Amino acid sequence: MTGAKAPGGLPALFISTAVSGDIARNLGVAHYSYNFAAARFRTLLAQDFPALRDLVMPEYYATRAAMPAPPAGEWLHLIFRSTGEIRLLKPAWNIACFAWEFPVLKTETLPGEAPTANQAGMLNSCDEVWVASQFARNVLQSHGVAQVHVVPAPISRPKVPGRAACLRLLAGLPVTQLRVNPAWPDALAEAEARAGETTLDAALRQFSARAVLFLAILNPEDARKNLDALIRGFHCHRQEYPDSLLLLKLIRGGDGITLAEVAGGILRTALGPGTALADPGILICNAFLSEPEMTALYGAAPFYLCTSIAEGQNLPLLEAMICEAVAVSTTGTAMDDYLSADCAIPIASTARPNDDPRLAGLVAGRNFTVARASATDVAHALNRARQLSVPARERLAHAGREQVARLYGPAAVRARITDRLCGLGIAPST
Amino acid sequence: MTRRIWLEIGPLQEGQYTGLSQVTAGLAATLLGDTTRAVGFFLGRAAIPPEIVATVLTRGEGEFLSFWLARHTPRAPATSLNETSIALFPNVKTCRRGFAIETQIVHDLSTLLTPQFHLPETVRFHAAAMADDVATNDLTFCVSEATRQDVLRYLCPPDPARIITVHPGPGQPGALAPPMVPVEPFVLVLGTIEPRKNIAVILEFLAAQTQLLAGLRFVFLGRHGWGEAPATLLARHGLNEAAEAGRILFPGYVSAAARDALLARARLMIYPSLFEGFGLPVLEALAFGTPVLTTRSSSLPEVGGEAVTYFDPFTPEDFGRGLAEALQDRHATAETARAARRTWAARFSWPKTWQKITAAIDNLPEAGR
């Protein structure tokens, strides 16, 4: 970068996130939850860049003079959007904060397609790209995107109360026990779900005091999450460990998910047509939770279960790990950066050609291989988790926390950003 | 070999000339007046005689063109082996590979960059054609530097030197400018009624400051494009009463003469657009010396320069600040201020546009590419 420097040597920072309400509604449906990542960067950088500004329409500003009270010095623009929605702030150094978890990228525009459909082209329209994983960097570089740097979203450790205190905080959390019957029409499925609705406290009291809670947080409409294997694997595991309980927290941006949707369509779609499955140890929660309640959720569960086939970074998993939940998780893609048998219980998976038409990677226009865990793989890993001694589990929990703090803690991410600012010739924060 | 420039006049078929059809009309009039060059006009794959184009321009609407086409079988353009045919498309390319050299005017990448302001079918039609059009052009003329930068950054043409900024001129003045008689003070808001033009920012302000309407009428001049219709907008902002009292008017499309009369007499012209390729209404108001309040969006500072007042549309209270500043300037309507605006506007003209276009075409090698 060239030009005058801002007082103190720091550039002015601008952030643009989702374009419209549509993005918010689709949060998690696409391959990455950009708004969540942007919020984390905003919090981290607010101290270093007090004049940080959010932009609704960066394309509005063709020149510096178009900005009210334009800041002096260099301008940085962090773009947290999918490639099709990248819009440049022309007077700034534009950085696409991009998450990608598939081995292919769209590198051309076919006749009749809008130029915004070309992922590599849109990324190359920016001055550089920040990705959350080594996997994404390798994929982008192999598809002709040169200026790629690994700068993941930061993960802070919240103040986590003890497990008992967390459970007390969540005692009134509404949950429903898993029951799916292919013969039930939607209305009956919803009525059954409502009839089965209870509180977390009441549900837990049906089991022994020694029951072990596993947590999974996901968008059930996100095909990457491999929800079928997660539920069936846990159900299978419970045949051997009936005091294992799964709290499945469902999330979706915008209006959230109604119980009618969960009972009527989401679970049936995830588990496949004709599925009949009832398991009182699989508790589904679709309620909106505040931030302290989310923290309590992480603190309440000694284990976090993830069966994803591909992840851009996987913020819920990292949040769980920094709260000392032991990850029982598939590896691959971004998770290869931070998961190993030293700090987690890996779930085995098998690489096969993708057969799911819902995966975002197919926008590249060609198929690819994905590593998918089966229900049996999941059950085996869960059994291994339950076979851990208490000291062994605590060792893993501690190692997981340290791993996340080392790679994604605010200090670690700030150091990466400082490196990039130095690379751009901008004086780093002191 | 003679080079003949063929102007595509598809936009002149419109019943009401605004925006693109205005630009096409301005270009067509300039071509008709250029006796030094071989020029031609075409529509689809049909050559249109110059005298027919002249008639259409005089009438100021496209019905005559359809009427004429229904009764004649015109020859095809670009059929002479003794000429190098050069197409100049004033908007999207209606055909490709029909001319030895293809040039195009790109107005904006709005459908690509701000699809939220357009109907989905418009986005599908324009955004997809955009890259292919530019890729097959020998020259691409952008109506502003802002648009040129967008083309370079988002469409990545192979040869940036062939992407050239050519500002358009003001619209054709109305033929029947009425005599200047005293009228009640009014503010003019000029432009098609559609979300991108952002007139809601004005209505929101008026809803909160209804006393302003006692001394000023607000005239929203332009046809309804898409999005909320005027009646819905008025109702949503609780301004039905003001409209019934004639303090807020939505007269729709008016003739060029009536538009010019209103532009010349307005106390202020407001153009609150959120994204533009150029911003003709700003230039047209300045050409009459009328004060302008607009945004700093995309190309608008290129058009308005220091001759207009700006506000930030993303800061709601800033519109009130800008409006007060524009209205309270006692010198704003003085003849010296009007003359200064006219001087600024005079830097944009169709002869200058045409000169830049032809110079670029003349610099092209014979083969085109």
Side-chain angles (χ1 to χ4, degrees), chain A residues 19 56-57 59-63 65-68 86-88 90 94 110-116 121-122 125-127, chain B residues 112-117 127-128 130-132 146-147 149-150 153-155 273-275 295-298 301 311-314:
Chain A
V19 177
V56 180
M57 281 182 66
E59 63 273 25
Y60 172 97
Y61 309 95
T63 62
M67 183 78 67
I86 285 174
R87 300 293 180 265
L88 306 174
K90 278 184 245 166
N94 287 280
L110 298 175
E113 280 184 328
T116 45
M122 290 301 286
S125 75
C126 299
D127 299 296
Chain B
L112 187 72
L113 301 181
T114 58
Q116 69 273 29
F117 296 143
M130 211 173 270
D132 297 336
T147 294
Q149 290 299 327
D150 282 340
R153 294 295 292 260
Y154 293 101
L155 304 185
S273 177
L274 289 169
F275 195 84
T295 69
R296 290 189 186 275
S297 173
S298 43
F311 76 97
D312 175 20
F314 302 114

Side-chain angles (χ1 to χ4, degrees), chain A residues 189-257:
Chain A
E190 184 188 351
E192 288 288 336
R194 290 210 184 285
E197 211 170 15
T198 179
T199 62
L200 179 62
D201 184 49
L204 293 179
R205 274 192 270 110
Q206 295 175 19
F207 296 88
S208 81
R210 296 163 57 88
V212 175
L213 192 61
F214 288 73
L215 173 67
I217 301 175
L218 52 83
N219 179 342
E221 291 167 333
D222 184 341
R224 300 168 307 158
K225 303 299 180 183
N226 199 10
L227 184 55
D228 181 30
L230 186 145
I231 290 177
R232 290 182 194 280
F234 201 88
H235 180 65
C236 183
H237 160 71
R238 271 182 36 80
Q239 309 312 306
E240 288 189 44
Y241 292 90
D243 61 345
S244 284
L245 303 177
L246 172 65
L247 179 56
L248 184 55
K249 169 77 181 87
L250 304 182
I251 55 167
R252 183 169 67 185
D255 304 331
I257 303 175

